[in-house]
Amino acid sequence: MKFVMTQAVCPEGLQMLDGVADVYVADNQDPNNYLDEMKDADALIVRIAKCDGHTIENSPNLKVIGRTGVGYDSVDVKTATAHGIPVVITPGANNRSVAEHAVAMMFALSKNLVEAQQEMCKGNWEIRGAKKAFELEGKTMGILGLGAIGRETAKICEGCGMKVAAYDPFLSKEQVEGYGAVYYENYEDLLKVSDVVSIHVPLTDETKNMISKKQLTEMKKTALIINCSRGGIINETDLVEALKAGEIAGAGTDVFCSEPPKTDDPLLNCPNLIVSPHSAAQTREAVIKMAQMCVKGCLAVAEGKKWPFVADKSVYDHEKWKDAEWSEV
C-alpha cells in the first residue's frame, strides 16, 4: 500500500503507517507536480494543499483522499465522488483549538494588545491612553454557524459573561435556543446587534463574500469581527476599507483568499487588524488528533471498508462499494 502526502503529518500519525504502507512526502501543495508518484498511490493526504479533478483522473490506483481538518474546499469532492473515492475528513478533532483561537483574537482586540506592544517597543508609553480597550462582560457575541466549533466558541464566551446570539440556516429556532443562544433568522440582523462577530461557516457559493461592504457598514462602529473559518467569506477589499474608515473597530483573521498572502497584501497593512497564518487548528493536541483520525480513516477505506467521516457519504452509492462493510471507528 502507498500513501502520498502533500506535507508530512505529525510523527504520531506517521507511526500508524509503519510496516503498513510506503509513504511519499512531497513537500509540495499541488499533486499535479508529482503525478508520477500518484500513479500507484492508494491514498493521498492533503493538508493546506489542493487536490483537483486532474490529479484524481490521473491517479488510477487512488482509493481515498484524506484531509486533516473539516473544511474540504481545496479538494474536488464532486470528481472524487464520481470515481467512488471517499474524501476522509476529521470532524471534531480541532473544535476546541479553533474556538480558543477565535476567543484569543477577541481578547487581544478588545484589550488592544497588539498595538500596545508595538507602540511600547517604539517607546510610546502613552499608548496606554488610546481608549480602545473594553470589557467583554455583558457584550453580545454573534456567531455565524452554530456547528461544533461555533458551539464551542459560544460555550467559552458564555463563561466570560457574554450574551450569545447565533445564525445557522441548518438549525431551527428551537435547536439554536436549545444551545443557549438567541436565534436570528437573518444573519444581517445579527450583525447589527453584535459587539463581536465570530465566523464558523464553510466556504461555499452561498457564503462567499457574505460579509461585504453593505454588511460591514451596518455593524456597530465599536464592533469586532473574527474569521477562523475560510478566506473569502469576508470580502477582503471591503474589510480593509471598513477598517481604514473606522466603520468597525477591529478585526482578526486566521484565513486568507490567497494563502500565504504576499507581504504587500493590503490586508496585512491596515489598522486594528490582527492576523495569524491559518494556524487556529495547529495546537499540539489538535494536530495529533487530526493526523491520527485521518490516517485511521484512510487505512480503513484503502482496505475496502466504509469510513463514516467523509465529505460526501453518497460516495458509498458507487458501484465499487455495493458489498463493502462499515468500519469500526
Side-chain angles (χ1 to χ4, degrees):
M1 189 183 301
K2 180 180 178 181
F3 272 58
V4 172
M5 299 182 182
T6 57
Q7 299 93 10
V9 298
C10 65
E12 291 84 354
L14 286 171
Q15 188 176 22
M16 296 174 67
L17 296 172
D18 286 350
V20 177
D22 295 325
V23 178
Y24 173 77
V25 178
D27 285 324
N28 187 299
Q29 296 186 12
D30 187 356
N32 284 301
N33 294 326
Y34 39 93
L35 288 176
D36 55 331
E37 293 289 347
M38 292 301 302
K39 287 179 180 178
D40 60 346
D42 295 280
L44 170 66
I45 292 181
V46 300
R47 289 178 56 196
I48 301 178
K50 73 172 187 176
C51 177
D52 61 15
H54 188 262
T55 293
I56 295 167
E57 290 168 355
N58 286 275
S59 304
N61 197 50
L62 192 62
K63 299 177 179 66
V64 61
I65 299 166
R67 168 75 176 90
T68 55
V70 179
Y72 48 84
D73 47 282
S74 62
V75 177
D76 187 342
V77 176
K78 184 177 180 180
T79 299
T81 300
H83 285 74
I85 301 172
V87 178
V88 168
I89 54 176
T90 60
N94 60 16
N95 292 352
R96 183 70 187 192
S97 292
V98 177
E100 287 185 2
H101 197 95
V103 173
M105 283 188 157
M106 174 182 72
F107 269 100
L109 287 164
S110 68
K111 303 300 176 279
N112 200 36
L113 293 183
V114 174
E115 184 183 33
Q117 175 170 328
Q118 291 172 340
E119 290 301 309
M120 263 199 70
C121 291
K122 297 175 186 177
N124 180 16
W125 181 257
E126 298 309 314
I127 190 63
R128 67 191 297 269
K131 296 182 174 62
K132 292 182 179 179
F134 63 90
E135 292 183 357
L136 292 165
E137 185 178 22
K139 300 297 192 298
T140 296
M141 163 58 88
I143 296 179
L144 300 183
L146 202 60
I149 296 174
R151 294 196 298 272
E152 196 69 22
T153 304
K155 183 170 70 175
I156 299 171
C157 290
E158 287 172 351
C160 297
M162 299 182 75
K163 304 170 186 175
V164 175
Y167 162 81
D168 192 313
F170 299 103
L171 297 179
S172 67
K173 184 174 187 289
E174 291 72 24
Q175 287 174 308
V176 169
E177 292 177 345
Y179 290 124
V182 177
Y183 172 81
Y184 276 81
E185 184 177 4
N186 186 310
Y187 79 93
E188 292 185 333
D189 292 336
L190 172 64
L191 295 175
K192 294 174 185 177
V193 302
S194 298
D195 297 292
V196 185
V197 174
S198 192
I199 297 172
H200 300 287
V201 297
L203 178 63
T204 65
D205 290 341
E206 289 72 30
T207 63
K208 185 176 182 180
N209 292 323
M210 72 182 293
I211 309 293
S212 298
K213 183 179 179 64
K214 176 181 182 293
Q215 291 77 25
L216 290 165
T217 55
E218 291 178 345
M219 290 175 64
K220 295 181 180 181
K221 290 189 179 296
T222 55
L224 308 174
I225 190 164
I226 296 161
N227 186 8
C228 289
S229 183
R230 282 292 185 273
I233 296 171
I234 302 178
N235 182 291
E236 291 182 349
T237 299
D238 292 348
L239 177 60
V240 170
E241 291 179 0
L243 288 167
K244 288 184 174 179
E247 294 290 349
I248 59 173
T253 185
D254 182 54
V255 290
F256 305 85
C257 290
S258 177
E259 296 186 352
K262 295 180 180 179
T263 55
D264 62 352
D265 190 316
L267 197 62
L268 301 182
N269 298 279
C270 67
N272 303 323
L273 174 74
I274 60 174
V275 298
S276 53
H278 204 148
S279 56
Q282 298 304 304
T283 60
R284 291 189 296 271
E285 295 85 354
V287 166
I288 292 172
K289 285 187 284 188
M290 286 189 294
Q292 291 181 332
M293 188 174 181
C294 185
V295 170
K296 185 176 180 180
C298 287
L299 282 171
V301 173
E303 292 169 356
K305 299 175 183 176
K306 297 179 182 178
W307 182 254
F309 306 119
V310 295
D312 185 354
K313 287 189 178 180
S314 71
V315 69
Y316 295 129
D317 295 333
H318 194 279
E319 176 70 16
K320 68 170 62 176
W321 291 100
K322 67 177 182 178
D323 297 320
E325 296 181 355
W326 286 93
S327 171
E328 292 186 8
V329 176

